[in-house]
């Protein structure tokens, strides 16, 4: 079942600017890439990023694109490197071609879960086969945080579990949970385009009878008290810290919470917030400095 605010109009695929940022005569290291992406997201309305060979590629809706905002954001960049940028308009209907050509290739995780798009013809066979047509929503398995989350889900017996997936993105974690035997999954997504995309992916993978999608933020679970056996949140540190009290209230005592979307350096901050709401870290994992925490609600 799909829950949707009735006042929302159907989402038309947006036109986006693809903006490439590169150091003049060099490349941007991983840490500097992350800082640049954070600044652009906070100050210039960018929604999504990728990095290729030391070049940061960002995407911003056409109506929000502003060279002045980008230039003023560059003034906040705390490194000496001089960065130039080039912008290219990508019509909304061309997004599948853009992903297929440049970014989204089939991926096999832990030799058990393959994620591919409907336009892929050649991909590995695996125990769990997930079809994702991303259309600018986060969660194709290529980012370290999604890989970390999926790897842990594959180690959990989710039979008959009630699951909450905060910031569901493409819906990939919700879909895998359903495939792993969860009896019900609630996916919450604040971004309208990602929400519409998740609807499509849930239907493509034939799990719409198990996965319920809600357009909204943490207020969407304010009445869900001790409802879930397992909670996911692959978002970012600040949102997790701000909303972890709500996640904890929604989780049953003895249940588990799986978090990612932050760096290993952020673990003490996230763990401190979790401890205040009866959550204890039972396992951690990391990949390329990105972290994943598995917590248990003790009380």
């Amino acid at each position: 079942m799909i829950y949707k605010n009735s006042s929302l109009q159907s989402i038309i695929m947006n036109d986006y600017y693809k903006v490439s940022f590169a150091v003049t005569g060099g490349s941007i290291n991983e840490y500097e890439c992350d800082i640049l992406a954070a600044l652009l997201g906070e100050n210039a309305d960018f929604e999504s990023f990728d990095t290729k060979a030391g070049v940061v590629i960002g995407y911003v809706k056409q109506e929000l694109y502003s060279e002045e905002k980008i230039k003023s954001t560059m003034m906040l960049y705390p490194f000496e490197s001089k960065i130039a940028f080039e912008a290219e308009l990508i019509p909304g209907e061309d997004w599948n071609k853009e992903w297929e050509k440049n970014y989204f290739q089939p991926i096999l995780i832990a030799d058990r879960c393959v994620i591919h798009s409907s336009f892929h013809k050649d991909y590995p066979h695996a125990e769990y086969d997930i079809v994702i047509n991303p259309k600018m929503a986060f969660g194709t398995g290529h980012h370290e945080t999604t890989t970390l989350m999926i790897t842990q889900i594959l180690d959990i017996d989710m039979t008959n579990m009630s699951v909450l997936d905060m910031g569901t993105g493409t819906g990939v974690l919700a879909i895998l949970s359903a495939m792993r035997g969860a009896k019900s999954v609630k996916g919450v997504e604040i971004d309208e385009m990602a929400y519409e995309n998740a609807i499509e992916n849930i239907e493509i993978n034939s799990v719409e009878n198990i996965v319920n999608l809600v357009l909204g933020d943490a207020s969407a679970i304010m009445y869900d008290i001790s409802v879930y056996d397992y909670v996911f949140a692959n978002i970012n540190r600040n949102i997790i810290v701000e909303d972890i009290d709500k996640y904890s209230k929604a989780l049953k005592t003895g249940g588990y919470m799986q978090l990612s979307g932050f760096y290993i350096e952020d673990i003490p901050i996230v763990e401190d917030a979790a401890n205040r709401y009866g959550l204890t870290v039972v396992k951690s994992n990391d990949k390329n400095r990105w972290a994943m925490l598995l917590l248990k609600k003790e009380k």
Side-chain angles (χ1 to χ4, degrees), residues 164-167 188 217-222 224-253 255-260 270 274 277 279 295 297:
L164 172 65
D165 181 18
M166 295 299 301
V188 180
D217 56 15
S219 63
I221 61 169
M222 62 186 299
D224 296 351
I225 310 299
S226 299
V227 171
Y228 303 102
D229 301 295
Y230 214 106
V231 173
F232 303 136
N234 182 16
I235 309 179
N236 67 52
R237 187 197 74 184
N238 292 340
I239 293 177
I240 287 173
V241 170
E242 180 179 349
D243 291 339
I244 198 167
D245 60 327
K246 302 176 184 68
Y247 305 162
S248 182
K249 286 179 182 178
L251 184 63
K252 297 176 182 177
T253 299
Y256 289 89
M257 185 182 299
Q258 193 175 319
L259 306 174
S260 192
V270 175
Y277 299 101
L279 298 160
L295 307 102
K297 185 176 179 180

Side-chain angles (χ1 to χ4, degrees), residues 98-150:
E98 180 76 4
W99 276 95
E100 182 176 16
K101 182 175 71 174
N102 292 314
Y103 307 111
F104 185 24
Q105 296 301 316
I107 183 171
L108 180 64
I109 298 176
D111 292 325
R112 296 180 64 194
C113 179
V114 63
I115 303 171
H116 62 93
S117 186
S118 59
F119 52 69
H120 290 131
K121 304 303 179 186
D122 184 19
Y123 52 87
H125 295 285
E127 181 179 359
Y128 299 100
D129 186 309
I130 300 177
V131 179
I132 295 293
N133 292 329
K135 296 182 181 177
M136 289 300 292
F138 179 82
T140 60
H142 290 74
H143 194 274
E144 289 88 344
T145 59
T146 314
T147 299
L148 287 166
M149 294 291 280
I150 287 175

